[in-house]
């Protein structure tokens, strides 16, 4: 077995063995159909955030009844689609959303499986843009509100209380915030039990960080162990879901780009490459440091401190700053850790076609997305008759 995606997934499987636990791969981190098909073959569950992702899971052979629908703004159509597909759980994030799910379920005359995502007000100690468990975040509801939602849901014929969910952030490198959030959730489940509301399932979220530079996140096994230990210590025997994205996909992928030009100004040196912020948005959006290496090491060239920049007309168009690189025009470079939140966050900005995606298994490789063409980029655009030349 050589595919890194599978190796990482199995680390979670082994880490959770002995427990009634399901890995629900977080589709948003890398949603290529081949990646999802590979997960489906492992009998992985999925965590999705849109109707489009639900379609992807189904297309790839995944099972909706092993899929959780997260996200703060599910539309009526998405809810109906999920219910008709027999989704495992709709993780709701507001009273208004519960009301809407209830209405759609009544209309379809089916019980909607629901879990409330609670917001425990815990600092995940990660980049503010990917921290989701603080009171100020748009995510989840406070425990008091969750209690009201459970009380209401437990009395409705068209709502089936499935479980409880929490997810406090992404790229977390310390276990403390996760353990603190889960402890609060376990206390709350006990309170619900005393209220006669029985929760069977605990969705512990995702968010385990990876090493991009010098971070020191726990290993997958350590992360699983500490969650299981906590549950055991607190006498919590609910079945659990875990929703890892990045920990499975980040280091399963690299972005390959070619050096077009080397440029030097009085102030800086630049390696101008043919990939750009439209292909990989993380560096400028999150100030993310991602390692950049030449595909072939060349001992004959001198290492230079360079900014690795793309062709887009924006100063924010960089993949890395102040990197020691020995490259010349025509060389290939690889940006490491690009398997998560890379292609999925890409765009056609500057009318740049999206690149090909390739799945590599040792010496074997398959194209799993072909290079986009100009026609595919403009196909949906229409010039109205009256302004056509
Ligand atoms: N579950 C829920 C409800 C989530 O919102 C997320 C991530 C996950 C699980 C999985 O988190 P992971 O295991 O991948 O950390 N674009 C950002 C990351 C956004 C993550 C959003 N939600 C980045 O490039 O760093």
């Amino acid at each position: 077995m050589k595919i890194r995606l599978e190796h990482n997934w199995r680390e979670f499987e082994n880490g959770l063995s002995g427990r009634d636990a399901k890995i629900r791969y977080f589709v948003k981190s890398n949603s290529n159909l081949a990646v999802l098909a590979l997960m489906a073959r492992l009998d992985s569950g999925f965590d999705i955030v849109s109707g489009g992702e639900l379609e992807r899971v189904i297309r790839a052979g995944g099972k909706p009844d092993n899929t959780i629908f997260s996200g703060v703004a599910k539309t009526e159509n998405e809810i109906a689609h999920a219910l008709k597909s027999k989704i495992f759980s709709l993780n709701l994030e507001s009273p208004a959303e519960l009301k809407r799910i209830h209405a759609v379920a009544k209309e379809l005359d089916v019980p909607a499986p629901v879990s409330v995502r609670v917001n425990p007000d815990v600092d995940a100690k990660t980049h503010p843009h990917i921290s989701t468990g603080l009171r100020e975040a748009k995510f989840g509801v406070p425990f008091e509100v969750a209690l009201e939602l459970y009380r209401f849901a437990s009395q409705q014929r068209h709502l089936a209380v499935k479980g409880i969910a929490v997810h406090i952030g992404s790229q977390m490198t310390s276990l403390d915030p996760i353990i603190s959030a889960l402890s609060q959730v376990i206390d709350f489940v006990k309170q619900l039990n005393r209220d006669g509301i029985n929760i069977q399932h605990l969705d512990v979220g995702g968010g385990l960080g990876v090493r991009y530079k010098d971070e020191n996140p726990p290993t997958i096994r350590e992360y699983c162990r500490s969650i299981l230990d906590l549950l055991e210590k607190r006498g919590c025997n609910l079945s659990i879901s875990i929703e890892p994205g990045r920990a499975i996909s980040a280091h399963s992928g690299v972005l390959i780009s070619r050096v077009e030009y080397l440029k030097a100004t009085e102030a800086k040196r630049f390696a101008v490459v043919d990939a750009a912020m439209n292909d990989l948005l993380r560096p400028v959006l999150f100030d993310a440091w991602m390692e950049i290496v030449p595909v072939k090491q060349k001992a004959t060239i001198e290492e230079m401190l360079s900014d690795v920049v793309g062709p887009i007309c924006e100063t924010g168009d960089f993949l890395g700053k102040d990197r020691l690189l020995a490259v010349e025009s025509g060389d290939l470079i690889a940006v490491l850790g690009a398997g998560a939140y890379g292609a999925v966050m890409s765009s056609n900005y500057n009318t740049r076609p999206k690149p090909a995606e390739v799945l590599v298994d040792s010496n074997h490789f398959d194209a799993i997305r072909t290079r986009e063409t100009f026609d595919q980029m403009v196909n949906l655009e229409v010039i109205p008759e009256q302004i056509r030349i």
Side-chain angles (χ1 to χ4, degrees), residues 26 28-29 47 49 70-71 93 117 130 132 139 167 169-171 205-208 212 243-247 282 286 340-341 345:
F26 193 59
K28 193 174 108 177
S29 75
D47 192 282
V49 294
S70 301
E93 304 211 15
R117 174 170 173 182
I130 50 176
T132 53
F139 299 99
H167 171 77
S170 193
Q171 182 55 12
L208 174 62
Y212 289 106
E243 308 167 346
R246 186 188 321 259
R282 300 195 70 255
F286 305 120
Y341 308 110
M345 289 173 64

Side-chain angles (χ1 to χ4, degrees), residues 28 48 69 77 87 89 111 116 132 140-141 188 200 218 252 316 347:
K28 193 174 108 177
I48 55 167
F69 199 151
N77 282 343
I87 200 92
S89 173
V116 179
T132 53
V141 295
F188 181 61
Q200 308 136 30
S252 299
S347 75

Side-chain angles (χ1 to χ4, degrees), residues 75-138:
T75 65
E76 276 176 22
N77 282 343
E78 286 176 325
I79 294 166
H81 184 189
L83 292 179
K84 286 183 197 155
S85 312
K86 307 221 172 341
I87 200 92
F88 175 79
S89 173
L90 289 160
N91 286 5
L92 61 99
E93 304 211 15
S94 63
E97 205 183 11
L98 180 59
K99 209 166 142 197
R100 183 180 281 181
I101 292 172
H102 190 208
V104 176
K106 266 192 193 158
E107 179 85 26
L108 295 175
D109 198 18
V110 291
V114 290
S115 304
V116 179
R117 174 170 173 182
V118 287
N119 180 326
D121 193 23
V122 167
D123 184 355
K125 303 223 163 35
T126 182
H127 190 282
H129 291 181
I130 50 176
S131 182
T132 53
L134 283 173
R135 205 199 313 266
E136 301 78 43
K138 68 176 175 181

Side-chain angles (χ1 to χ4, degrees), residues 168-217:
I168 58 167
S170 193
Q171 182 55 12
M172 289 185 286
T173 51
S174 152
L175 289 168
D176 298 348
I178 303 168
I179 296 302
S180 150
L182 282 179
S183 302
Q184 292 191 50
V185 174
I186 294 169
D187 287 342
F188 181 61
V189 169
K190 289 183 179 160
Q191 184 189 341
L192 287 174
N193 283 341
R194 287 195 294 273
D195 248 50
I197 297 161
N198 275 317
I199 299 283
Q200 308 136 30
H201 189 77
L202 167 60
D203 177 350
V204 304
L208 174 62
V210 299
R211 187 186 187 109
Y212 289 106
K213 189 181 187 185
D214 49 12
E215 305 90 333
N216 232 339

Side-chain angles (χ1 to χ4, degrees), residues 1-4 358-367:
M1 195 284 307
K2 291 135 202 141
I3 296 182
R4 177 72 90 95
V358 180
L359 185 71
V360 181
D361 181 0
S362 191
N363 293 332
H364 182 81
F365 63 89
D366 291 294

Side-chain angles (χ1 to χ4, degrees), residues 150-377:
Y150 280 118
R151 280 188 181 141
F152 173 80
S154 61
Q155 280 156 19
Q156 310 304 317
R157 197 160 58 86
H158 289 100
L159 294 173
V161 172
K162 191 82 192 181
I164 187 160
V166 65
H167 171 77
I168 58 167
S170 193
Q171 182 55 12
M172 289 185 286
T173 51
S174 152
L175 289 168
D176 298 348
I178 303 168
I179 296 302
S180 150
L182 282 179
S183 302
Q184 292 191 50
V185 174
I186 294 169
D187 287 342
F188 181 61
V189 169
K190 289 183 179 160
Q191 184 189 341
L192 287 174
N193 283 341
R194 287 195 294 273
D195 248 50
I197 297 161
N198 275 317
I199 299 283
Q200 308 136 30
H201 189 77
L202 167 60
D203 177 350
V204 304
L208 174 62
V210 299
R211 187 186 187 109
Y212 289 106
K213 189 181 187 185
D214 49 12
E215 305 90 333
N216 232 339
T219 63
I220 293 175
R221 300 277 187 119
E222 286 164 350
Y223 168 76
C224 293
R225 186 72 266 147
S226 63
I227 291 176
L228 297 194
D229 283 351
L230 174 77
L231 298 177
E232 200 174 313
K233 203 170 81 197
R234 303 294 307 277
C236 171
N237 46 22
L238 303 181
S239 63
I240 63 166
S241 290
I242 195 159
E243 308 167 346
R246 186 188 321 259
I248 291 179
S249 56
H251 285 299
S252 299
V254 299
L255 171 68
I256 305 285
S257 179
R258 192 177 294 282
V259 178
E260 293 288 344
Y261 302 101
L262 294 181
K263 169 173 176 174
T265 66
E266 260 174 32
K268 281 245 166 208
R269 286 178 187 278
F270 299 95
V272 186
V273 300
D274 66 359
M277 64 190 282
N278 73 300
D279 303 302
L280 188 64
L281 197 54
R282 300 195 70 255
V284 62
L285 191 60
F286 305 120
D287 232 347
W289 191 98
M290 300 176 72
E291 188 169 359
I292 302 177
V293 294
V295 168
K296 282 192 187 139
Q297 306 285 343
K298 287 183 174 167
T300 46
I301 318 172
E302 202 188 328
E303 273 190 332
M304 299 274 190
L305 202 61
S306 314
D307 283 7
V308 181
V309 299
I312 286 189
C313 303
E314 298 263 1
T315 308
D317 181 28
F318 62 89
L319 301 179
K321 289 196 166 165
D322 296 322
R323 303 303 175 86
L324 261 184
L325 278 177
V327 288
E328 55 194 349
S329 166
D331 286 352
L332 294 177
I333 55 145
V335 185
L336 310 188
Y341 308 110
V344 283
M345 289 173 64
S346 64
S347 75
N348 291 126
Y349 190 35
N350 280 214
T351 309
R352 289 171 46 81
K354 295 193 185 181
E357 292 171 32
V358 180
L359 185 71
V360 181
D361 181 0
S362 191
N363 293 332
H364 182 81
F365 63 89
D366 291 294
I368 57 171
R369 189 178 206 275
T370 52
R371 204 185 293 278
E372 204 170 21
T373 64
F374 174 75
D375 280 345
Q376 287 166 340
M377 280 192 289

